[in-house]
């Protein structure tokens, strides 16, 4: 991804690559900041209000003051106008600011979309399962673990992706104890058996993906039943197809799990149908 434009509250547009945070911003010192990644279609961020809801909720969970949505809306517009790229990713950051100063920073970053996504969508990705060692109900009961919070403490998630690549795969899926399927480092996970789609429930402390929400809304219209809950890895391994969802990668078929093919090892019909439905929705969904 190439950074195309940056807008900073109180400063406006800043050349990409210029410093925008103090050395003692807690986002850097402790990884304590909230962020969002939204997909931009036709120059407009998809479901920006939902991303702002989640940014506000993440900020509250890590002790940031309430955010001003209008600030982020105008930063997003400024950065998107400057980037001039209709198909892009928009990242929003809400940081505590300098240690002890209580003056948060708001940033908007616009970047290109990774160039290999369509090639990966066509072939499907290989996935490995990585245990987190937590009880399935712990993340919800232990708010300090920040389950479901999109904070900049993503080093564990990035290490999991690196581990997957080291094992010759493309992506990872986290497991709670007992092999209960949670989510990927930057995606939600789904699988299908006949006409039923399965996806882990939010009570497991996973991130409430905006794409997940869109797919839940679209699935019924495509004739799929939905089951959300706590499911063991064997259910995913034995599915007729699997896929992940995220704002940037959208619906990404998963064709292999821990070295074994899922079903016939080819991208499945639900992934294809839902990707089309997501794109259709995006083409008509322009927030005011
Ligand atoms: C841990 C995690 N789960 C799921 C998702 C997917 O969320 P969304 O569809 O809102 O992009 C993300 C997105 O980055 C994530 O970081």
């Amino acid at each position: 991804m190439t950074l195309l434009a940056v807008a900073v509250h109180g400063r406006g547009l800043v050349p990409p690559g210029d410093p925008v945070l103090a050395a003692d911003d807690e986002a850097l010192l402790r990884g304590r900041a909230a962020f969002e990644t939204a997909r931009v279609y036709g120059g407009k961020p998809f479901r920006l209000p939902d991303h702002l809801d989640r940014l506000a909720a993440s900020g509250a969970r890590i002790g940031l003051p309430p955010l001003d949505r209008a600030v982020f809306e105008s930063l997003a517009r400024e950065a998107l106008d400057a980037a001039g790229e209709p198909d892009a990713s928009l990242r929003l950051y809400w940081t505590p600011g300098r240690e002890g100063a209580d003056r948060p920073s708001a940033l908007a970053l616009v970047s290109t979309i990774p160039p290999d996504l369509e090639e990966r969508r066509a072939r499907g990705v290989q996935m490995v399962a990585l245990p987190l060692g937590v009880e399935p109900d712990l993340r919800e009961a232990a708010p300090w673990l920040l389950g479901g919070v999109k904070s900049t403490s993503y080093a564990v998630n990035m290490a999991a992706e690196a581990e997957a690549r080291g094992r010759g795969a493309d992506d990872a899926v986290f497991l709670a104890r007992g092999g209960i399927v949670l989510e990927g480092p930057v995606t939600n996970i789904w699988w299908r058996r006949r006409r039923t789609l399965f996806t882990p429930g939010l009570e497991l402390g996973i991130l409430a993906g905006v794409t997940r929400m869109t797919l839940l809304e679209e699935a019924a219209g495509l004739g799929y039943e939905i089951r959300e809950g706590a499911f063991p890895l064997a259910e995913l391994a034995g599915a007729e197809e699997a896929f992940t969802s995220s704002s940037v990668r959208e619906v990404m078929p998963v064709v292999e799990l821990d070295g074994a093919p899922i079903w016939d090892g080819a991208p499945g019909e639900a992934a294809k149908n839902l990707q089309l439905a997501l794109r259709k929705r995006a083409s008509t969904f322009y927030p005011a």
Side-chain angles (χ1 to χ4, degrees):
M1 308 222 295
T2 306
L3 185 58
L4 299 173
V6 178
V8 182
H9 184 48
R11 282 176 70 183
L13 286 171
V14 173
D18 270 19
V20 293
L21 295 175
D24 62 350
D25 194 297
E26 282 208 46
L28 172 67
L29 296 186
R30 315 210 186 273
R32 190 170 79 87
F35 81 107
E36 276 302 315
T37 307
R39 177 71 184 233
V40 176
Y41 299 100
K44 307 260 182 16
F46 183 55
R47 301 193 79 150
L48 184 60
D50 295 307
H51 284 286
L52 291 178
D53 285 348
R54 194 170 65 186
L55 187 65
S58 296
R61 288 275 302 278
I62 58 179
L64 280 156
L67 59 83
D68 183 344
R69 298 170 74 98
V71 163
F72 280 97
E73 283 160 2
S74 96
L75 284 176
R77 244 188 327 268
E78 243 182 310
L80 284 166
D81 286 349
E85 172 59 61
D87 204 21
S89 94
L90 168 70
R91 284 179 289 179
L92 305 173
Y93 288 83
W94 181 226
T95 90
R98 302 192 60 186
E99 202 173 22
D102 212 14
R103 285 198 52 204
S105 288
L107 321 173
L109 283 61
V110 177
S111 304
T112 56
I113 299 292
D116 62 342
L117 287 183
E118 294 315 317
E119 178 263 313
R120 286 160 72 118
R121 202 178 327 282
R123 73 169 157 86
V125 300
Q126 300 166 311
M127 178 172 265
V128 294
L130 301 177
L132 285 182
V134 296
E135 294 297 331
D137 56 359
L138 181 63
R139 291 207 298 176
E140 199 184 37
W144 59 90
L145 293 181
L146 299 182
V149 172
K150 206 161 161 71
S151 85
T152 53
S153 300
Y154 257 39
V156 166
N157 304 46
M158 298 302 101
E161 286 194 335
E163 176 68 23
R165 283 194 297 274
R167 296 188 195 182
D170 304 291
D171 202 357
V173 60
F174 289 127
L175 303 177
R177 289 179 77 129
I180 299 299
V181 181
L182 295 174
E183 63 189 333
V186 297
T187 66
N188 291 112
I189 178 92
W190 302 72
W191 58 97
R192 178 182 64 81
R193 237 177 224 280
R194 300 197 188 87
R195 303 300 298 166
T196 305
L197 298 177
F198 297 80
T199 196
L202 298 183
E203 69 281 1
L204 293 167
I206 59 168
L207 192 77
V210 173
T211 320
R212 179 184 185 279
M213 190 179 354
T214 306
L215 300 192
L216 288 173
E217 291 164 4
E218 294 294 328
L222 294 169
Y224 297 112
E225 308 246 312
I226 300 277
R227 279 192 57 203
E228 298 174 71
F231 306 108
L233 186 63
E235 302 244 344
L236 167 56
E240 291 172 31
E241 71 168 284
F243 54 93
T244 63
S245 67
S246 80
S247 295
V248 170
R249 300 181 191 174
E250 304 174 286
V251 181
M252 186 61 74
V254 178
V255 296
E256 192 182 294
L257 177 66
D258 290 331
I262 292 178
W263 199 246
D264 59 359
E269 52 141 272
K272 194 168 162 207
N273 292 338
L274 286 164
Q275 172 66 13
L276 286 172
L278 173 64
R279 280 296 178 111
K280 190 161 168 228
R281 177 88 169 266
S283 69
T284 54
F285 185 97
Y286 288 155

